[in-house]
Amino acid sequence: MSATSPSQSIIDLHRPGSASDVFAGGALMAPVLPSFARQRTAIGLPEVGEVDVVRHFTRLSQESHGVDNGPYPLGSCTMKYNPKRNDALAHLPGFENAHPMQDSDTLRGLWELYERLQEMVSEITGMDACCLAPAAGAHGELAGLLVIRKHFSHIGSRRSVVLVPDSAHGTNPASAAMAGFECRIVPSDIKGRVDMVSLREMLTPDVAAFMLTNPSTLGLFEDQIVDIADAVHANGSLLYYDGANLNALMGIVRPGDMGFDVVHVNVHKTFSTPHGGGGPGAGPVAVKAALADYLPGPVVTRKNGIAQPDSDRLLSVGRMKSFHGHVGVLLRAYGYLRTMGAQGLREASENAVLNANYLQHRLAPMLPPVYRQVCKHETLLSGERLNTSARQFAKRLIDYGIHPPTLVGAGCVYFPGDLKSAMLIEPTETETKASLDRQVEIFQRVFNEDATDEALVDRAPLSRKIARLDIKT
Ligand SMILES: *Cc1c(COP(=O)(O)O)cnc(C)c1O
């Protein structure tokens, strides 16, 4: 870039006439673009020096918020610390330079690693078999539901309904619909748990599965889970576990032991990987032995002592992702699990739960918890004492360097009952007590502003280049 002065840009060199002069006969120009396909006039790209380009992109990167610049308590998303060593692992040349089309036999190290990761995911979730291919949590849901559909069609049972609780993440009913099921909504009881009376009534012979996450998206542990599993199984239906909230119970309790038959794990939430803005993810799907044959491919298995991808399984629902899935995300998950170890995972979950309860307790005078009980890794806080709203409160937090928590209630995320204005806060295990205390101070400051200068909070955020994409909201 520095060798080319602005008046002598690359674009000029490619103009008809000049190109042949400069590169005449040289290997650089072969094969030459036919003249009709060449650009005839300069296209007017800005001519800027390297330093300016670097500053431009650095400035842009500083305008977005990530866990590397401040707290990111976005409930249900688990925006946690992403160890840089995992990035280093994913960039090892042997992995990074592997080509998707290269002979599978030349990727033995990758298959070895995949096999171990499949085992670790199965172990942590209490399942027997696992496929790493799905590209995200929602994709894992689709994979798991297709497994369930295939299972019932294989045994000649017609079941066309999937139940989801009213606190479910929106992807659950969407995946059920995509997998060809009719979706019915199970109401919550006043404690925020699945309403057992309704569930029992809704468990009709056409129900294929009940999709649940535990702890729920309200941050509450479903303490009736064993009864739920019994009721679902007594009906001949299967129990699906949405693993997005696994950060609350790694190494403490396993979905398989609670009675779940199929799980997906959002490895980009629970096992590191930065994933803001809909970025890359992976949603391995794992099942109990009775469903293993239906898993999508490839599943890495050992043949003649060598780990290799096996896509040749008769009852499989088929391939759901090209090539080897999102390799970089899976490598980071592997690095995370190996460096944390069994004890480390348990401690991470314990600290995630401790941090959420600490925040719940300290914030209660300003933002009382909707469900007054011990929470798991996240807590739902009510905006009922605010003059403005939870939404405005969250927008003002942006001005103090905290990412807004997940907004719940009118016009935001779909949530049960008549919740007007609330926010779901998930501090994660990786914020220190000092950081949590600073956050409480900021919440207190915004709470005071809400009491004394409503108009200010109503205009927030005031520090961003783009404040409101839609002026109506
Ligand atoms: C994030 C999330 C999903 C969807 O996962 P993606 O990886 O974003 O596709 C599903 N369920 C719950 C509870 C979630 O929090």
Side-chain angles (χ1 to χ4, degrees):
M1 191 174 290
S2 55
T4 310
S5 82
S7 62
Q8 216 200 339
S9 77
I10 291 291
I11 293 160
D12 293 336
L13 296 180
H14 280 231
R15 287 164 78 177
S18 61
S20 51
D21 298 344
V22 175
F23 295 118
L28 258 175
M29 278 304 283
V32 173
L33 274 181
S35 63
F36 74 86
R38 291 189 216 160
Q39 179 72 26
R40 286 174 199 288
T41 50
I43 58 174
L45 290 177
E47 292 299 329
V48 282
E50 177 174 344
V51 172
D52 289 335
V53 171
V54 170
R55 285 180 186 158
H56 172 71
F57 284 108
T58 304
R59 231 179 349 254
L60 282 185
S61 77
Q62 287 166 343
E63 277 174 19
S64 40
H65 186 90
V67 280
D68 288 348
N69 20 17
Y72 208 133
L74 188 63
S76 197
C77 289
T78 311
M79 291 287 188
K80 67 206 268 181
Y81 159 64
N82 293 291
K84 300 293 174 271
R85 61 175 175 264
N86 293 348
D87 292 337
L89 173 69
H91 288 297
L92 286 176
F95 292 123
E96 195 172 49
N97 299 332
H99 192 278
M101 300 291 277
Q102 86 187 54
D103 188 345
S104 169
D105 228 21
T106 62
L107 291 170
R108 287 192 184 174
L110 187 67
W111 305 134
E112 190 90 22
L113 187 148
Y114 269 32
E115 186 190 40
R116 290 190 209 165
L117 184 56
Q118 285 175 184
E119 280 167 11
M120 287 191 278
V121 169
S122 299
E123 170 67 24
I124 291 165
T125 56
M127 296 286 144
D128 300 310
C130 172
C131 168
L132 301 174
H139 201 207
E141 290 171 29
L142 178 62
L145 289 163
L146 290 177
V147 164
I148 290 172
R149 199 176 78 170
K150 184 92 186 219
H151 162 71
F152 284 118
S153 79
H154 187 63
I155 62 171
S157 165
R158 285 172 172 272
R159 289 180 183 252
S160 56
V161 174
V162 162
L163 304 179
V164 303
D166 57 5
S167 61
H169 192 272
T171 50
N172 291 183
S175 300
M178 278 193 74
F181 290 105
E182 180 196 331
C183 186
R184 293 185 190 149
I185 310 292
V186 182
S188 302
D189 68 12
I190 49 163
K191 287 177 165 174
R193 308 174 307 178
V194 170
D195 183 63
M196 283 304 288
V197 176
S198 305
L199 176 65
R200 286 186 204 282
E201 276 168 17
M202 294 176 78
L203 279 170
T204 46
D206 54 355
V207 171
F210 184 27
M211 289 181 92
L212 204 57
T213 173
N214 195 14
S216 71
T217 303
L218 305 174
L220 306 174
F221 191 78
E222 284 288 352
D223 54 3
Q224 318 167 99
I225 188 59
V226 175
D227 293 339
I228 291 173
D230 287 348
V232 167
H233 290 148
N235 191 52
S237 315
L238 295 170
L239 196 55
Y240 182 98
Y241 183 80
D242 176 334
N245 296 318
L246 199 60
N247 212 45
L249 37 79
M250 297 181 288
I252 298 169
V253 61
R254 309 190 306 169
D257 299 337
M258 295 184 224
F260 287 91
D261 305 290
V262 182
V263 313
H264 82 258
V265 179
N266 307 58
V267 296
H268 49 290
K269 294 180 182 175
T270 315
F271 304 151
S272 78
T273 287
H275 65 283
V285 57
V287 296
K288 288 279 175 67
L291 299 169
D293 288 345
Y294 309 111
L295 277 177
V299 171
V300 174
T301 51
R302 202 156 271 271
K303 270 191 215 130
N304 306 325
I306 297 168
Q308 45 198 293
D310 182 1
S311 296
D312 205 16
R313 295 155 46 251
L314 280 179
L315 293 177
S316 164
V317 298
R319 212 174 225 289
M320 298 196 55
K321 184 84 184 87
S322 54
F323 302 113
H324 318 317
H326 285 171
V327 182
V329 178
L330 296 169
L331 291 173
R332 285 175 177 84
Y334 178 82
Y336 180 79
L337 291 171
R338 288 298 303 273
T339 47
M340 293 294 280
Q343 186 59 28
L345 286 184
R346 188 187 172 103
E347 280 167 21
S349 284
E350 286 169 352
N351 285 333
V353 172
L354 183 63
N355 279 359
N357 279 284
Y358 182 71
L359 268 195
Q360 175 177 282
H361 176 75
R362 298 247 4 234
L363 296 177
M366 304 168 242
L367 303 161
V370 173
Y371 299 98
R372 290 169 188 276
Q373 54 180 287
V374 171
C375 64
K376 287 292 168 255
H377 63 309
E378 57 192 358
T379 174
L380 187 64
L381 304 180
S382 166
E384 69 198 16
R385 294 195 187 151
L386 301 173
N387 287 320
T388 59
S389 62
R391 173 188 288 251
Q392 277 320 118
F393 192 96
K395 286 187 191 295
R396 183 62 175 151
L397 290 177
I398 297 171
D399 290 330
Y400 292 109
I402 297 182
H403 190 279
T406 304
L407 290 168
V408 174
C412 309
V413 178
Y414 172 71
F415 254 96
D418 52 0
L419 264 182
K420 291 280 179 302
S421 153
M423 56 179 103
L424 188 64
I425 295 195
E426 179 180 358
T428 79
E429 73 278 12
T430 46
E431 295 298 321
T432 59
K433 177 164 180 299
S435 164
L436 295 178
D437 287 338
R438 272 197 304 275
Q439 291 178 55
V440 172
E441 265 169 43
I442 290 171
F443 274 70
Q444 183 69 57
R445 203 179 308 170
V446 174
F447 188 74
N448 295 345
E449 287 176 349
D450 174 85
T452 57
D453 195 352
E454 221 177 298
L456 172 82
V457 180
D458 250 338
R459 286 200 314 277
L462 305 170
S463 60
R464 304 283 90 193
K465 195 173 269 174
I466 299 173
R468 302 289 172 97
L469 294 180
D470 179 346
I471 202 71
K472 287 194 292 296
T473 63

